[in-house]
Amino acid sequence: MSEGKVWHPYTQMKTAPEPIWIEKGEGAWLYPKSGERILDLISSWWVTVHGHGHPYIAQKIAEQAGKLEQVIFAGFTHTPAQELATQLVALLPGPMASIFYSDNGSTAVEVGLKMALQYWNNSGNPKSKILAFQSAYHGDTFGAMSVSARSVFTAPFNGQLFEVEFLPDPYPENLSKTMERIQELGQEGKTAAFIFEPLVMGAAGMICYEASYLDSLIQLCRQYEILTIADEVMTGFGRTGTLFATEQIQFSPDIICLSKGITGGFLPLGVTAAAGKIYEAFLAEDRMKTFFHGHSYTANPLACVAALASLECFKQENTLLRIQEIEKLHLGFQRRIEGNSFVQQTRVKGSLLAITLQEGKEAPDYLSNWGPVIYSWFIQRGFLMRPLGNVLYLLPPYCITDSELELAYTAIAAFLEHLGLANPEPPLPGPVFG
Ligand code: PMP
């Protein structure tokens, strides 16, 4: 029997090296079938929160699996889904009233967009325009791709994506023209919603921006009745230093999308939280006002108990305090590499450390396609990092110890030294890394 082909995500199957076969994960470490263990510095695509194989979360999932593994969520409910909704509504900023469950980050975004568009339909004031930032990334399904940057990721599908008005990326110099544009659009009255990644635009290269920038835009959107959707799929669950990035802004959004870290990284789960006015616009005798959306695994009980267990760990293990300590260590390392000629810019925000490598020193843009080269350099030394073009970053699980972080910093310092010594080879052909 020939072996079934496994088609890997974001992977050119012709040129990619053999995938690394992982047998076990523990804490911040991944253990391959053969070879040395690997330090997971990107929380396995930004999902792992308290560490791989956290025993408490594993135990809660096992207990739940013995009771109720799954039940249709239309016409039925269960304690883990109800309890999680209660906790999330209490923890999320602003007047979040309802929790809609789905499966992943892209579906959480799809749901948010559909809720916003149908909100205006149900309110008898249909609006269809959506605003997003130029370099945004919100997922891989069609709606999520539509509100994301047109890029190599979307190129084959651009003709099928719906039209979106892209606002300049949130750099301070763009604030006034962006506000003017929102004002113009607001006066036209056709804009349904503005979707954004609060404080950090992840896949765009860990672009960090100020809470005050976002507050200015949200305030304006409120004034012109444009709904705001915060995509906290990456930023949620502590990444930026607070449980949610939107806690750091004054004006809370109408809709918040969550996924990735919600279950501590154990199981897929998406959540779209909506403010009371959104939820209420769907309440009617008229069946046409129903939100006709749902997935087979909506509110899977195992995923919900994993999320509850992860929230419990945040409390029991004082995780937010640990994130502050990680931030301090990142700041220390930031100072260590200050002035390095290969470092163009660094950013620290909560557990995130991002380093933009200098482009065009030896040859123009020689680093921007270096994703795969840098990836190999680190993986050969036992570190999992997936640079975004010329942006290297750490977004580790919060269980990472000081000495494990020091290993990562030392590796980055060695890499910067290597750049200085080596005559860099031209980049390997291949896609940029997501
Ligand atoms: N939104 C943001 C901000 C993301 O970073 C991602 C994934 N990287 C998504 C949405 C999509 O999430 P998923 O991969 O779970 O569909």
Side-chain angles (χ1 to χ4, degrees):
M1 217 171 15
S2 67
E3 204 177 45
K5 280 202 191 318
V6 178
W7 195 344
H8 289 263
Y10 281 91
T11 303
Q12 175 44 261
M13 296 302 292
K14 188 174 162 78
T15 54
E18 280 294 303
I20 299 168
W21 204 294
I22 295 296
E23 285 202 316
K24 188 182 133 173
E26 195 177 0
W29 295 93
L30 295 168
Y31 292 82
K33 223 171 175 177
S34 58
E36 295 292 308
R37 62 185 188 161
I38 297 167
L39 189 57
D40 184 353
L41 296 171
I42 57 162
S43 300
S44 280
W45 251 342
W46 315 344
V47 302
T48 308
V49 173
H50 308 287
H52 292 280
H54 193 287
Y56 180 69
I57 304 176
Q59 178 207 329
K60 287 291 171 186
I61 295 171
E63 282 170 13
Q64 182 61 38
K67 273 195 278 188
L68 174 70
E69 82 301 344
Q70 166 67 1
V71 62
I72 177 174
F73 207 60
F76 290 81
T77 193
H78 49 81
T79 306
Q82 184 54 56
E83 178 58 27
L84 181 58
T86 303
Q87 290 205 23
L88 287 175
V89 160
L91 290 167
L92 283 163
M96 289 298 141
S98 65
I99 296 295
F100 191 95
Y101 291 107
S102 63
D103 304 340
N104 56 64
S106 303
T107 56
V109 165
E110 295 288 335
V111 167
L113 294 169
K114 285 175 75 173
M115 270 179 187
L117 291 167
Q118 196 179 338
Y119 167 86
W120 290 113
N121 262 287
N122 284 6
S123 311
N125 180 16
K127 299 184 187 187
S128 59
K129 198 184 265 287
I130 308 274
L131 309 179
F133 284 129
Q134 191 79 42
S135 305
Y137 176 78
H138 294 291
D140 288 349
T141 51
F142 272 84
M145 271 197 294
S146 297
V147 293
S148 299
R150 300 296 178 266
S151 70
V152 288
F153 301 163
T154 63
F157 320 107
N158 281 352
Q160 274 74 36
L161 303 182
F162 63 74
E163 226 182 280
V164 164
E165 167 127 1
F166 288 105
L167 301 170
D169 286 335
Y171 297 114
E173 63 273 20
N174 292 334
L175 180 61
S176 60
K177 68 176 170 224
T178 304
M179 289 181 70
E180 274 165 36
R181 185 62 191 139
I182 294 179
Q183 248 157 347
E184 276 167 22
L185 290 165
Q187 277 153 9
E188 271 172 35
K190 293 182 187 147
T191 304
F194 166 40
I195 182 164
F196 52 84
E197 296 157 81
L199 307 191
V200 183
M201 295 173 65
M206 301 295 169
I207 298 175
C208 296
Y209 66 105
E210 293 299 317
S212 59
Y213 193 110
L214 197 49
D215 270 320
S216 304
L217 302 193
I218 297 180
Q219 194 180 13
L220 210 52
C221 286
R222 281 197 186 173
Q223 193 180 328
Y224 289 104
E225 299 199 310
I226 298 169
L227 295 177
T228 49
I229 307 173
D231 175 354
E232 288 237 33
V233 168
M234 189 280 270
T235 54
F237 302 96
R239 298 292 176 200
T240 67
T242 43
L243 195 57
F244 302 107
T246 43
E247 285 172 47
Q248 298 178 42
I249 58 177
Q250 278 177 42
F251 296 97
S252 46
D254 300 298
I255 293 172
I256 300 180
C257 309
L258 305 170
S259 186
K260 288 199 186 275
I262 190 170
T263 59
F266 271 69
L267 286 163
L269 181 66
V271 154
T272 309
K277 74 167 180 187
I278 310 280
Y279 180 73
E280 279 151 30
F282 289 74
L283 303 178
E285 299 299 323
D286 178 0
R287 283 195 69 237
M288 282 307 292
K289 292 195 172 176
T290 307
F291 190 50
F292 289 116
H293 188 107
H295 299 277
S296 318
Y297 281 94
T298 296
N300 173 259
L302 304 181
C304 291
V305 291
L308 287 166
S310 176
L311 286 175
E312 189 59 31
C313 292
F314 268 98
K315 273 191 257 165
Q316 296 299 331
E317 297 173 12
N318 223 339
T319 307
L320 290 175
L321 194 68
R322 177 63 192 150
I323 296 169
Q324 277 178 24
E325 290 164 5
I326 293 174
E327 184 173 45
K328 271 197 207 122
L329 292 169
H330 281 348
L331 288 167
F333 181 64
Q334 186 182 39
R335 284 192 291 276
R336 255 159 75 185
I337 56 170
E338 224 168 58
N340 183 297
S341 62
F342 288 94
V343 174
Q344 185 181 312
Q345 209 221 10
T346 52
R347 302 171 285 293
V348 172
K349 186 99 201 129
S351 67
L352 168 72
L353 164 71
I355 303 168
T356 305
L357 297 171
Q358 195 78 257
E359 290 186 61
K361 266 210 106 229
E362 311 282 314
D365 296 340
Y366 77 85
L367 278 170
S368 58
N369 288 325
W370 268 48
V373 177
I374 302 175
Y375 175 81
S376 307
W377 194 93
F378 281 98
I379 207 82
Q380 280 162 16
R381 288 157 180 82
F383 299 97
L384 171 53
M385 306 248 282
R386 270 179 82 91
L388 299 154
N390 62 328
V391 177
L392 264 186
Y393 69 90
L394 301 183
L395 201 68
Y398 311 134
C399 67
I400 196 164
T401 62
D402 292 9
S403 56
E404 287 163 349
L405 266 178
E406 187 49 44
L407 289 176
Y409 299 146
T410 306
I412 296 173
F415 175 71
L416 293 173
E417 202 165 306
H418 157 85
L419 282 181
L421 295 175
N423 211 353
E425 295 288 318
L428 294 177
V432 287
F433 272 179

